[in-house]
Amino acid sequence: MGNASDTSPVFVSTISKEYDLLMGSLYSIFCLLSLLGNCILLLVAYQKWSSLKPAEFFIINLSISDLGMTVSLFPLAIPSSFSHRWLFGEITCQVYAACGVLFGLCSLANLTALSLVCCLKVCFPNHGNRFSSSHACLLVAGVWCYASVFAMGPLAQWGHYSAEPYGTACCIDWHAPNHELSALSYIICLFVFCYALPCTIIFLSYTFILLTVRGSHQAVQQHVSPQTKTSNAHALIVKLSVAVCIGFLGAWTPYAVVAMWAAFGDATQVPPAAFALAAIMAKSSTIYNPMVYLLCKPNFRKCLYRDTSAFRQKMCRGSPQPDQKEPFGSTLQRNKKDASVSTRFSNGHQESQGACLHCTEDGSLCHVSTPQRTACILTGSTYNEVTVSQLPAKLQADLL
């Protein structure tokens, strides 16, 4: 594969070596952050899979598409940037470009579907309350099919893939519309159905949501909050979705502007450095989604904190140090043995080892991971088991 790239002039970088080194360095940082953030987000989602809301399915799908883009693009773009030329030949260039279009369009279509779901739940609650996880899965499948149509088009000779104008990566051939009608039709359809239409839907959806919120705060509280009134989960999803959409569109809009300039104007007048800068911003979109949701969504953040705390406690139990304070669970077990007293729950069942691994910092509230969804409450010096539904609303929100 390397011989083709050595002989073709389109695979030679047209920007300075300093710019290529900067691109390679930035791509390396984006790759590490994206791998770390998206893998953690998917792990947290796996841990709380049974309690995911339908709208959160799109967050998970967005993370999958971002991870796909990271794995398929960065390992090829980074060494090519540092080498000042595309290293992997024509066939790999076609695959690289198809993956970039597939995962990029999937992310945009996913955000469009998410905005519609948020609008449906807030502005049309009678219909939104019927939206289920199965509906979300169908929409997610539709998102991938929609993106696949446009990603496979150039491979079927509707449009073309080629090297980027700056030479160290591949994407759609933006010069082809200047001299080929089929390529022009592909670019027009791509712009209308994969940029202008999704952006319009996203803008209108969140505009309707804003008008609904301003028009009736009481109605929004009723529509957005779950029936248990424990949290404003859907309202938070709306806010975070807006943040992700702004970040994603902000990252991809410069590339769309430069691409349209090349496709519908004089392509020779577009500086390669403009494409390079726009590509850097576009690839940075892979890190926004996990940053927003892991840092700003309480239940994701609590789940991550709970898992890391449990891991630290297990590590401490595995290699205890004489001068370290024992974890709460270990202290409780040792005190039980010293007192020779078997602590029992209110239902008469003896406490199982590790039942209190997920306590709050003061040790007063623990989540017991059983199918019965129970919790244990510290009353005096003993723990009593209760069902989660019997707890106050605020404590239910903390646990769930």
Side-chain angles (χ1 to χ4, degrees), residues 41-60 121 131-133 136 226 228 230-231 233-234 237 297-304 306-307 367 369-371 373 388 396-400:
L41 181 58
L42 291 176
L43 179 62
V44 171
Y46 175 78
Q47 296 290 335
K48 63 188 294 293
W49 182 260
S50 59
S51 61
L52 285 178
K53 299 172 180 62
E56 290 176 332
F57 279 60
F58 299 98
I59 307 306
I60 307 308
K121 284 186 168 292
F131 189 82
S132 64
S133 298
T228 58
T230 58
S231 66
H234 290 131
I237 290 177
K297 200 168 192 307
N299 60 345
F300 276 51
R301 191 170 61 247
K302 289 177 182 177
C303 186
L304 179 62
R306 187 168 60 239
D307 289 342
H367 184 209
S369 299
T370 63
R373 299 177 70 83
V388 174
Q396 290 186 40
D398 290 337
L399 283 174
L400 302 179

Side-chain angles (χ1 to χ4, degrees), residues 252-334:
W252 278 95
T253 295
Y255 191 90
V257 171
V258 174
M260 292 305 103
W261 178 13
F264 298 107
D266 186 356
T268 60
Q269 298 299 315
V270 183
F275 265 105
L277 180 60
I280 291 175
M281 296 187 65
K283 288 182 172 63
S284 70
S285 65
T286 58
I287 64 178
Y288 297 148
N289 179 47
M291 288 178 60
V292 169
Y293 279 89
L294 288 176
L295 295 178
C296 302
K297 200 168 192 307
N299 60 345
F300 276 51
R301 191 170 61 247
K302 289 177 182 177
C303 186
L304 179 62
Y305 175 77
R306 187 168 60 239
D307 289 342
T308 54
S309 298
F311 177 76
R312 287 199 305 269
Q313 289 179 355
K314 289 180 181 179
M315 293 298 293
C316 290
R317 288 192 182 93
S319 56
Q321 300 295 328
D323 57 341
Q324 287 183 339
K325 184 178 179 181
E326 290 181 311
F328 173 76
S330 300
T331 305
L332 181 62
Q333 294 293 334
R334 180 171 55 79

